């Protein structure tokens, strides 16, 4: 583990700092259908501030954002979940070419390389601000290999702490790789990933999938889920030819090392429940709501 002195000072506060407080409050009080005034008070802001925050952050009003993260909305998305993947296959989005809104191109690392735990693999990493908190980006010379988050107790998830904890979580995936702190190398990827205007076919984002054959098949399927859509673990299992493997698919989704780009957040329970997320349900709600704004704008 690199010494703490290798890390720069944490990024200053952002819109997401307020958004996650709002989401945490709503998550615990949704049955009371809190007013905008109550939400603003919990966030330490005024109702006007909250309104402008959401318009600036995701392009939606607070009411529209809240509707986008409700169970009813999720159920509506699932009504067409099977056709989402069927359509992706029909129009030829199943190959390593144009896959979804980020225009991702991908390749998989060979099973032999994965079994070595990344031995001999050079990975560069950096921490960068994003719409969903501070992101950890990990690169190989072949493209993006990892995207995680620095999470706190409000975010929840399996890794709560600071930058060191986020990095350690990523390093456990490939324990024998050679890690180098190089934010200058990873910064252009952060700018590209989180800026919808940069999602163009002229600048495809290169991704390297490092996992078992089964995990890679699941992650490739996730790449076919468009922004503003959702599917279930069972549908993913069916599309990889393993209709009884929904539980195994869930485990593979949970191990996805490239959050957001490989959109594991778009897989939800068949009831419409959001279910678990490695980087916390607060962040999953934030991403889905933000994406609803991008879909509406598109």
């Amino acid at each position: 583990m690199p010494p703490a002195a290798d890390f720069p000072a944490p990024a200053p506060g952002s819109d997401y700092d307020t958004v996650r407080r709002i989401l945490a409050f709503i998550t615990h009080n949704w049955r009371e259908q809190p007013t905008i005034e109550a939400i603003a008070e919990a966030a330490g802001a005024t109702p006007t501030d909250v309104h402008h925050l959401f318009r600036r952050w995701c392009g939606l009003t607070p009411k529209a954002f809240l509707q986008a993260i409700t169970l009813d909305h999720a159920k509506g998305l699932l009504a067409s979940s099977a056709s989402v993947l069927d359509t992706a296959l029909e129009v030829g989005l199943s190959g390593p070419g144009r896959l979804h809104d980020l225009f991702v191109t991908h390749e998989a690392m060979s099973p032999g390389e994965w079994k070595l735990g990344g031995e001999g693999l050079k990975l560069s990493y950096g921490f960068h601000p994003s719409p969903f908190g501070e992101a950890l980006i990990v690169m190989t010379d072949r493209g993006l290999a990892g995207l995680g988050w620095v999470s706190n107790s409000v975010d929840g998830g399996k890794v709560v702490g600071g930058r060191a904890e986020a990095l350690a979580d990523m390093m456990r995936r490939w324990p024998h790789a050679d890690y180098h702190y190089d934010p200058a190398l990873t910064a252009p990827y952060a700018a590209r990933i989180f800026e919808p205007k940069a999602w163009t076919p002229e600048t495809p984002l290169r991704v390297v999938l490092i996992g078992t054959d089964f995990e890679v098949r699941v992650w490739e399927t996730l790449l076919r889920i468009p922004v503003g859509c959702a599917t279930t673990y069972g549908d993913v299992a069916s599309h990889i030819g393993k209709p009884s493997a929904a539980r195994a698919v869930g485990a593979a989704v949970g191990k996805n090392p490239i959050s957001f780009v490989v959109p594991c957040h778009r897989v939800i329970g068949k009831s419409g429940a959001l279910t678990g997320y490695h980087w916390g349900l607060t962040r999953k709600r934030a991403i889905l709501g933000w994406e609803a704004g991008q879909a509406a704008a598109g």
Side-chain angles (χ1 to χ4, degrees):
M1 173 68 63
D6 285 355
F7 300 145
S14 65
D15 286 345
Y16 181 67
D17 293 334
T18 304
V19 168
R20 63 178 155 198
R21 289 199 300 272
I22 291 172
L23 285 173
F25 176 77
I26 292 169
T27 298
H28 289 96
N29 298 277
W30 65 271
R31 288 182 178 83
E32 287 75 33
Q33 291 294 293
T35 64
I36 187 67
E37 288 78 15
I39 292 170
E41 182 179 356
T46 68
T48 300
D49 289 339
V50 170
H51 179 83
H52 289 306
L53 163 71
F54 279 98
R55 296 291 291 188
R56 178 176 65 248
W57 182 72
C58 67
L60 296 176
T61 65
K63 181 178 180 180
F65 177 85
L66 297 181
Q67 289 174 340
I69 61 171
T70 63
L71 181 62
D72 285 344
H73 180 73
K75 288 179 178 178
L77 293 178
L78 290 182
S80 59
S81 65
S83 64
V84 165
L85 294 176
D86 288 338
T87 301
L89 291 170
E90 289 170 6
V91 299
L93 302 186
S94 57
R98 175 176 164 178
L99 286 170
H100 70 352
D101 307 71
L102 284 173
F103 292 95
V104 171
T105 61
H106 79 277
E107 64 175 294
M109 182 167 286
S110 73
E113 290 175 300
W114 175 80
K115 288 178 181 178
L116 292 174
E119 185 176 348
L121 180 67
K122 181 179 177 179
L123 294 175
S124 301
Y125 69 92
F127 294 92
H128 304 278
S130 85
F132 317 108
E134 193 167 43
L136 165 63
I137 292 181
V138 181
M139 304 284 308
T140 73
D141 58 0
R142 289 144 63 177
L144 179 70
L147 198 169
W149 312 96
V150 178
S151 297
N152 65 21
S153 58
V154 178
D155 296 306
K158 295 185 177 180
V159 182
V160 173
R163 290 177 171 181
E165 287 78 10
L167 178 61
D169 174 62
M170 195 67 74
M171 292 174 72
R172 280 192 289 269
R173 302 168 188 271
W174 314 295
H176 304 305
D178 185 15
Y179 291 83
H180 297 268
Y181 177 65
D182 192 348
L185 179 65
T186 54
Y189 273 76
R192 161 79 171 81
I193 290 166
F194 300 113
E195 176 46 69
K197 292 180 181 177
W199 299 356
T200 66
E202 291 77 22
T203 56
L205 181 71
R206 293 197 59 80
V207 169
V208 180
L209 304 177
I210 308 175
T212 66
D213 288 341
F214 180 82
E215 289 169 348
V216 168
R217 289 175 65 194
V218 170
W219 301 338
E220 288 175 333
T221 302
L222 302 185
L223 282 168
R224 301 182 193 128
I225 310 171
V227 169
C229 298
T231 192
T232 67
Y233 300 98
D235 282 340
V236 173
S238 294
H239 275 270
I240 64 171
K242 301 283 187 180
S244 62
R247 188 178 296 274
V249 164
V253 169
K255 292 180 180 178
N256 168 35
I258 312 178
S259 176
F260 186 72
V261 173
V262 178
C264 51
H265 58 276
R266 297 178 196 156
V267 185
I268 59 181
K270 62 182 179 180
S271 68
L274 293 189
T275 68
Y277 188 58
H278 188 81
W279 289 277
L281 283 178
T282 296
R283 183 169 278 113
K284 184 170 185 174
R285 290 186 177 93
I287 295 173
L288 289 172
W290 185 88
E291 287 190 338
Q294 305 309 309

